[in-house]
Amino acid sequence: MTTAAPSGSNSYALLRAAEAVTNWRALAMSALAGLAFFLFLALSGWLAKSSVLLGGLFFLLSLVLGLVGYSSVGIVLMRRSQGQDIGLVDAFLQALFTVHRLLGLAVLLFLAFVGLALATLLVLAVCKIPGLGPLVYSVAFPILTVILGLTTAGMFYVVMPLAAPAIWSGNTIWETAARMLVIVRQRLLPVITQLVILSMLVLFLSGVVTFVLMTGYMTTLGLSSAVGINASGNAMGMVQSMMLGGMGGMGGMGGMGGLGGYGMDGATSYFGAFAFATGLLFTVGMIIPFLTFINGTCLIYLQTIEGLHFDAAEEQLRGHVDEAKRRAQEARERASAKLQEVKAAQRAPEEAAPTPPAASVAPATAATPAAAARACASCHAPLAADDVFCGECGAKNPL
């Protein structure tokens, strides 16, 4: 994907962000992803009790699973924003096979920030030159301030919220990076304005959801107390009784009379039901602003790329990447050549060391069998190398 497909601006109106709460696929995917994430998180905590390594591994797996679930929800909402529908299984598979792009883009963003920080430190180090340093600093300080400020704004307001929708649209890491560069250069302020509006919309919906849930929550809690189910009071009484029981004060509570007429089993049951209901309500309340924000970023991205062309930016970025690869290859070749030179220099003294000639060894070798083959000149009995007289006949033999 190199250019934006033409589409009407009204179809990407930001007020459509709240429509995400009516998308049953997004709601179902959010529920499944949240359930799987918290189950794996609880499993990692349980495994950490017996093995820290295994618990840490499952914790990382939980984070990856949460990121896949987040991407699955985003893919569903992105297709809906584009006027299409996608199944839950297809959305999950696409998220599973593209999650590495999000991680790769995060690494690329981190490296870019580190490179910019190192370049800034280098310029500031130059500003410490005696005499000329203050003059250079007076010029470099405002320039660095603007560059760092624009870079931070671009990362915070453009790359972080809009990179994921770009990947959900089917772009690779480098295509996404090129698109983010073009958006930062040409439409930074409009994107910031739309994100501020989206934040206000999410905040407003969060307030409405909180008001609705808290009103119903407190009313239901009061009516529960009216019929004798004092769930929150029973929970507090149970905690107090357990604490006092640990200090030997159970007798002062009259057996479990402080639990409003319930025994320990009853108080525990109502406490579990109360905690589960509270957690469920909190989760449902968080889903609405969560889906609204994701759908809003998808709409902002689709509206922002209208009329933009990314071919030149992609080619330029690809050229920089190819140049970096070429230089890295040349550096590896130079390092390999240097290593070969060092090895050759180490082998040279060994090859230049003199070796004894073969002629000096041959006579000694030949002399040994000759000396061993001496025999008496008279009786031909074998003689040792230093025998002068034969041991058999007594004849004298020359050495």
mmCIF file of all heavy atoms in Angstrom, residues 19 30 72 133 261 276 305 330 371:
data_model
loop_
_atom_site.group_PDB
_atom_site.id
_atom_site.type_symbol
_atom_site.label_atom_id
_atom_site.label_comp_id
_atom_site.label_asym_id
_atom_site.label_seq_id
_atom_site.Cartn_x
_atom_site.Cartn_y
_atom_site.Cartn_z
ATOM 1 N N GLU A 19 -19.290 4.546 17.982
ATOM 2 C CA GLU A 19 -20.036 3.438 17.395
ATOM 3 C C GLU A 19 -19.387 2.092 17.686
ATOM 4 O O GLU A 19 -19.998 1.046 17.458
ATOM 5 C CB GLU A 19 -20.144 3.622 15.879
ATOM 6 C CG GLU A 19 -20.969 4.836 15.461
ATOM 7 C CD GLU A 19 -21.019 4.985 13.956
ATOM 8 O OE1 GLU A 19 -20.409 4.135 13.261
ATOM 9 O OE2 GLU A 19 -21.639 5.933 13.463
ATOM 10 N N SER A 30 -12.918 -8.319 22.568
ATOM 11 C CA SER A 30 -12.387 -7.694 23.784
ATOM 12 C C SER A 30 -12.583 -8.601 24.985
ATOM 13 O O SER A 30 -11.671 -8.755 25.826
ATOM 14 C CB SER A 30 -13.077 -6.346 24.029
ATOM 15 O OG SER A 30 -12.843 -5.458 22.961
ATOM 16 N N SER A 72 -6.102 -7.742 17.659
ATOM 17 C CA SER A 72 -7.302 -8.383 17.118
ATOM 18 C C SER A 72 -8.501 -7.434 17.174
ATOM 19 O O SER A 72 -9.254 -7.306 16.197
ATOM 20 C CB SER A 72 -7.602 -9.668 17.896
ATOM 21 O OG SER A 72 -6.513 -10.562 17.845
ATOM 22 N N GLY A 133 32.700 27.777 22.674
ATOM 23 C CA GLY A 133 31.584 26.995 23.190
ATOM 24 C C GLY A 133 30.333 27.789 23.508
ATOM 25 O O GLY A 133 29.244 27.425 23.056
ATOM 26 N N GLY A 261 -25.169 -11.889 61.094
ATOM 27 C CA GLY A 261 -26.068 -13.033 61.051
ATOM 28 C C GLY A 261 -25.602 -14.131 60.138
ATOM 29 O O GLY A 261 -26.227 -15.185 60.100
ATOM 30 N N PHE A 276 -16.666 -10.428 42.607
ATOM 31 C CA PHE A 276 -16.803 -10.776 41.188
ATOM 32 C C PHE A 276 -17.681 -9.764 40.455
ATOM 33 O O PHE A 276 -17.347 -9.328 39.343
ATOM 34 C CB PHE A 276 -17.393 -12.183 41.066
ATOM 35 C CG PHE A 276 -17.712 -12.575 39.645
ATOM 36 C CD1 PHE A 276 -16.712 -12.983 38.790
ATOM 37 C CD2 PHE A 276 -19.022 -12.521 39.180
ATOM 38 C CE1 PHE A 276 -17.001 -13.339 37.483
ATOM 39 C CE2 PHE A 276 -19.322 -12.873 37.874
ATOM 40 C CZ PHE A 276 -18.303 -13.289 37.024
ATOM 41 N N ILE A 305 -4.578 10.116 6.115
ATOM 42 C CA ILE A 305 -3.817 9.685 4.940
ATOM 43 C C ILE A 305 -4.511 10.030 3.632
ATOM 44 O O ILE A 305 -3.941 9.787 2.552
ATOM 45 C CB ILE A 305 -3.568 8.166 4.988
ATOM 46 C CG1 ILE A 305 -4.878 7.388 4.911
ATOM 47 C CG2 ILE A 305 -2.771 7.800 6.222
ATOM 48 C CD1 ILE A 305 -4.689 5.877 4.828
ATOM 49 N N GLU A 330 30.238 -3.976 4.323
ATOM 50 C CA GLU A 330 31.623 -3.564 4.129
ATOM 51 C C GLU A 330 32.408 -3.630 5.438
ATOM 52 O O GLU A 330 33.582 -4.035 5.443
ATOM 53 C CB GLU A 330 31.665 -2.137 3.566
ATOM 54 C CG GLU A 330 31.141 -2.027 2.137
ATOM 55 C CD GLU A 330 31.149 -0.594 1.652
ATOM 56 O OE1 GLU A 330 31.457 0.312 2.475
ATOM 57 O OE2 GLU A 330 30.858 -0.359 0.461
ATOM 58 N N ALA A 371 75.689 -51.654 12.209
ATOM 59 C CA ALA A 371 76.340 -52.079 13.442
ATOM 60 C C ALA A 371 75.687 -53.322 14.014
ATOM 61 O O ALA A 371 76.336 -54.181 14.592
ATOM 62 C CB ALA A 371 76.322 -50.935 14.455
#
